[in-house]
Amino acid sequence: MKIYGFEMGRAFRNAWFVVSVAMGTAIGIADCMLCVRQYRNIGEKALIQTWLGTDYQFAYNSLFYVLLPLIACLPYAGSCFTDMKSGYERNICVKTSRLSYMAAKAVSVAASGAAAVAIPLLVNLFVCAGLYPNKLPDKLSFLYAGIIDCDMFPRLFALHPVGYCLVFTLLDAVFGGLLGLVAMCVARWSGSRFSTIMGSFALYVFTGVIFEGDGTGTWSAMDMVNPLQNVVVYRYQMVTMYVGVCIIPLLLIYMWHRRRDIL
């Protein structure tokens, strides 16, 4: 079990984790500041309308969810490549099994990615909660009509707005962890730490555009994880996407590393 603690320490005690969280938090704070400047009457807006995840009035929501793979993968996903190229993993696998090392690496990459995504959303929610009242959303607003029509937690949104924010924060955090696993797969064909991280980002954006869908439901992960719900998303689609993005990278990581000569 020491290898798990060691890898988790490497994941959370590095400058890239701080940079990633700071980048996401800066986007959230900028969105909050713009809301305050735009709407000086605090009672005019509800918390659910100003939280980064559901603020459709400014570009910061789109910016955060386009950059989500970078925020998730920047902290530690690239370490799989750097450990291989530097020979660092040879020193680790002398003291523990290859399977234990890769399992600890996968857990640490997923945990750091999830935290890097969740922290900015929670900080933004906390700041907005101190500025705007937690009242039920206006039924005549564009946001209310869009989410009610898109089939993902409409009752929770209408009756418990903060619960809706927390549920999507959890979903986004889990997806951020899964994106880290995708980056670990890409490391096999990458030529640098940068390309390892960008591979996950490119796949996310490419599939987000190709599978955007229409009124019959979307298979675009970029649209699924955004609490704004710009397009229709069915729950079976989200479950299928999460399970697929979890199982496929884990299988590929296992099949590749169990035969690869480390020593």
Side-chain angles (χ1 to χ4, degrees):
M1 294 299 291
K2 289 183 179 180
I3 185 62
Y4 287 90
F6 177 73
E7 284 295 320
M8 290 291 279
R10 291 183 66 200
F12 286 93
R13 297 171 188 168
N14 72 81
W16 288 114
F17 179 78
V18 176
V19 169
S20 180
V21 172
M23 180 171 63
T25 303
I27 294 172
I29 295 300
D31 182 72
C32 187
M33 291 175 62
L34 193 54
C35 279
V36 171
R37 282 198 316 184
Q38 188 73 21
Y39 303 103
R40 298 184 182 278
N41 183 5
I42 299 300
E44 183 180 349
K45 290 289 181 179
L47 171 61
I48 191 64
Q49 294 174 287
T50 56
W51 177 54
L52 176 63
T54 48
D55 181 12
Y56 62 88
Q57 303 158 100
F58 309 114
Y60 291 108
N61 170 277
S62 299
L63 179 63
F64 182 86
Y65 282 97
V66 167
L67 295 180
L68 191 143
L70 297 183
I71 295 172
C73 296
L74 193 61
Y76 201 53
S79 66
C80 187
F81 173 84
T82 55
D83 285 1
M84 286 189 295
K85 293 302 179 182
S86 66
Y88 185 82
E89 63 179 0
R90 295 192 189 101
N91 299 326
I92 298 296
C93 290
V94 168
K95 300 180 180 180
T96 188
S97 69
R98 183 186 313 184
L99 181 60
S100 296
Y101 166 71
M102 291 312 303
K105 176 70 71 177
V107 169
S108 301
V109 167
S112 61
V117 171
I119 291 173
L121 291 173
L122 291 174
V123 169
N124 178 262
L125 180 63
F126 179 79
V127 172
C128 289
L131 296 172
Y132 296 94
N134 178 29
K135 59 184 180 181
L136 298 181
D138 183 0
K139 295 183 179 181
L140 299 179
S141 68
F142 170 82
L143 177 65
Y144 189 97
I147 291 179
I148 294 300
D149 288 342
C150 287
D151 204 46
M152 284 294 294
F153 314 115
R155 185 175 180 83
L156 184 64
F157 170 81
L159 299 179
H160 305 286
V162 172
Y164 180 86
C165 298
L166 294 176
V167 165
F168 261 98
T169 297
L170 176 61
L171 291 174
D172 292 346
V174 171
F175 187 69
L178 296 181
L179 286 173
L181 299 181
V182 173
M184 286 185 66
C185 294
V186 177
R188 177 181 181 181
W189 299 279
S190 298
S192 65
R193 184 182 188 275
F194 175 78
S195 59
T196 298
I197 296 172
M198 290 303 296
S200 180
F201 173 77
L203 185 63
Y204 171 81
V205 173
F206 177 76
T207 56
V209 174
I210 295 298
F211 301 118
E212 184 175 4
D214 49 29
T216 60
T218 183
W219 288 100
S220 166
M222 187 187 298
D223 289 318
M224 288 184 188
V225 299
N226 193 328
L228 273 181
Q229 299 188 53
N230 294 314
V231 294
V232 175
V233 180
Y234 297 117
R235 296 185 188 183
Y236 80 89
Q237 292 178 307
M238 178 170 275
V239 171
T240 302
M241 186 273 290
Y242 271 63
V243 171
V245 178
C246 177
I247 293 178
I248 294 174
L250 288 176
L251 283 176
L252 291 176
I253 291 169
Y254 172 75
M255 291 171 62
W256 178 40
H257 286 283
R258 69 172 181 153
R259 295 182 179 179
R260 186 168 60 89
D261 184 16
I262 294 178
L263 301 177

